[in-house]
Amino acid sequence: MQAKSFSLGAEAYLLEAVVVRCGDDLTVVIGGGEKQHIGAVAVGVPRPSLKDKNVVSSSASVLCLTGHKEDLLARSAALELAKLLGHTVTVTVGLHIDDAPAAAISLLEENFQELLRQICHWAVSAKQ
């Protein structure tokens, strides 16, 4: 197995990730904010596109813990990585800031997207 750690942001907006290659597959754990935890888990699986069987697309299954809202982040990351890599991907996300205003949530989401870009870049280069 090959593992890589990532971090982005500062203080309450710090996101950390650990990515593990399991053969051809990938496991990603992303936590951040004031309290890292497990809020949602998604499994992305590559498949032929429904519009063009020669194009790779992906499907995802998601488990979201009651009261948590990380399901969309976990799902989008699992879909993107599974499509990009052509292999199964699990993504666990847990981000939390107490009583977060909309601006704080927006900043966490921006940091999440940038962290995901970095993970995608590494995953493609580590695959080669």
Side-chain angles (χ1 to χ4, degrees):
M1 279 193 256
Q2 183 181 17
K4 173 87 172 154
S5 295
F6 297 84
S7 64
L8 180 76
E11 297 176 10
Y13 304 100
L14 174 67
L15 300 185
E16 296 178 294
V18 175
V19 182
V20 179
R21 279 197 130 329
C22 303
D24 289 330
D25 299 330
L26 202 70
T27 295
V28 180
V29 179
I30 301 173
E34 296 171 342
K35 182 179 180 187
Q36 297 183 3
H37 61 284
I38 297 172
V41 178
V43 178
V45 180
R47 61 166 173 76
S49 168
L50 299 176
K51 292 181 181 178
D52 181 349
K53 67 179 181 177
N54 297 312
V55 174
V56 176
S57 187
S58 58
S59 294
S61 298
V62 181
L63 294 171
C64 189
L65 280 72
T66 304
H68 291 267
K69 297 181 181 180
E70 292 91 349
D71 51 322
L72 295 178
L73 294 173
R75 183 179 188 277
S76 67
L79 288 171
E80 184 172 343
L81 284 161
K83 180 179 175 180
L84 179 69
L85 300 173
H87 293 284
T88 302
V89 176
T90 61
V91 179
T92 301
V93 181
L95 313 176
H96 181 82
I97 294 177
D98 283 336
D99 303 315
I105 293 169
S106 180
L107 184 54
L108 279 176
E109 289 175 347
E110 288 173 22
N111 285 351
F112 182 89
Q113 293 305 322
E114 176 56 31
L115 191 66
L116 179 58
R117 279 189 281 281
Q118 292 176 18
I119 291 168
C120 288
H121 178 74
W122 176 81
V124 168
S125 65
K127 182 179 175 181
Q128 297 173 352

